[in-house]
Amino acid sequence: MENRTSFFHLHLISDSTGETLISAGRAASVQFHTSQPLEHVYPLIRNRKQLLPVLEAIDHSPGIVLYTIVDRELADFIDERCREMGVPCVNVLEPVMNVFQTYLGTASRRRVGAQHVMNADYFARIEALNFTMDHDDGQMQDDYNDADVVIIGISRTSKTPTSIYLANRGIKTANIPIVHGVPLPESLIRATKPLIVGLVATTDRISQVRENRILGATAGFDRGDYIDRATISEELKYARSLCARHNWPVIDVTRRSIEETAAAIVALRPKLR
């Protein structure tokens, strides 16, 4: 019997940006493949006036309610109203905060948006993003030794999005395309500080992604050669040989999300230090 997808309302209420809730909600809902959430995100909810229309929306479209509200009075109000409406609700951060309080022996400050404070870590992420954008696709080749990570790979191995994701974590990342027969920059070969990682994928996967790519009218561009599996296979062989020659680790991204690839790179950093 064929499984049919059902839909349910998922209400996410946050006194900050809602990023934590979105991640938690999606991490849970993806485990239920026959049910698809209809997300309703309500960020920056910090008083009753802002909350009341949210509760009206929940009453109109009942579903699961997840929230991250540090103000106890507001959180209690959400719990009370959800009980009245007969909808399940969970304060996502409260169990975690209780564990911290018990272990550390001190009460939390309950400061809204504390994770988004503009401190040294914040400005380090901005610096990393600027560096990564300046060093995208082989640009500014003279200072690769200032990078934390350099990603290399043939076209369509997700170098740029992986680099940006790492930069958002404060990791200065450059990326360089590997072109068959073209040597890598000498500045990269001489670099001693960064972790250098090669990204590869299966021939079929790269060909499929390249076929779906919207291509500009580049003079002399050969589309047939670009998606030809034999050509891609040679490109991958060349990329792997470069990494093997310099003892650089290789990550196969065929079945990895950007987040999983970035996590694998982060895991490699302490191992190779």
Side-chain angles (χ1 to χ4, degrees), residues 86 103 128 228 233 251 264 271:
Y103 184 80
D228 178 69
S233 181
I251 297 175
K271 292 179 182 178

Side-chain angles (χ1 to χ4, degrees), residues 81-111:
R81 289 297 305 274
C82 285
R83 279 195 301 270
E84 292 173 357
M85 289 185 285
V87 298
C89 73
V90 178
N91 187 339
V92 173
L93 284 183
E94 195 64 26
V96 180
M97 289 174 64
N98 287 340
V99 170
F100 273 66
Q101 289 180 170
T102 301
Y103 184 80
L104 299 174
T106 183
S108 67
R109 293 180 297 171
R110 295 193 172 271
R111 186 155 60 96

Side-chain angles (χ1 to χ4, degrees), residues 104-125:
L104 299 174
T106 183
S108 67
R109 293 180 297 171
R110 295 193 172 271
R111 186 155 60 96
V112 174
Q115 72 271 37
H116 300 296
V117 65
M118 290 192 290
N119 55 13
D121 289 339
Y122 172 83
F123 290 107
R125 291 198 302 272

Side-chain angles (χ1 to χ4, degrees), residues 10-16 40-45 53-54 57-58:
L10 178 60
H11 299 275
L12 307 171
I13 310 171
S14 174
D15 53 19
S16 188
H40 308 270
V41 184
Y42 313 99
L44 304 175
I45 302 300
V54 172
I58 295 171

Side-chain angles (χ1 to χ4, degrees), residues 122-227:
Y122 172 83
F123 290 107
R125 291 198 302 272
I126 297 300
E127 181 183 357
L129 278 167
N130 287 333
F131 181 93
T132 298
M133 297 306 293
D134 286 341
H135 294 79
D136 182 44
D137 202 30
Q139 300 180 83
M140 296 184 65
Q141 299 182 358
D142 293 337
D143 55 354
Y144 285 135
N145 211 43
D146 292 333
D148 298 314
V149 171
V150 178
I151 297 173
I152 61 174
I154 68 172
S155 174
R156 302 294 101 182
T157 48
S158 302
K159 298 183 298 298
T160 293
T162 303
S163 298
I164 294 172
Y165 187 90
L166 287 169
N168 271 295
R169 298 187 60 175
I171 300 171
K172 292 192 290 185
T173 308
N175 74 81
I176 305 171
I178 293 179
V179 180
H180 191 203
V182 177
L184 291 169
E186 279 298 320
S187 56
L188 177 66
I189 307 302
R190 294 193 305 266
T192 57
K193 177 192 170 188
L195 166 67
I196 302 171
V197 181
L199 302 186
V200 298
T202 63
T203 299
D204 288 344
R205 175 59 178 165
I206 292 176
S207 179
Q208 179 186 36
V209 174
R210 288 183 178 183
E211 284 178 350
N212 294 329
R213 180 185 176 193
I214 300 175
L215 300 168
T218 306
F221 178 79
D222 187 342
R223 178 180 175 86
D225 201 40
Y226 187 64
I227 64 174

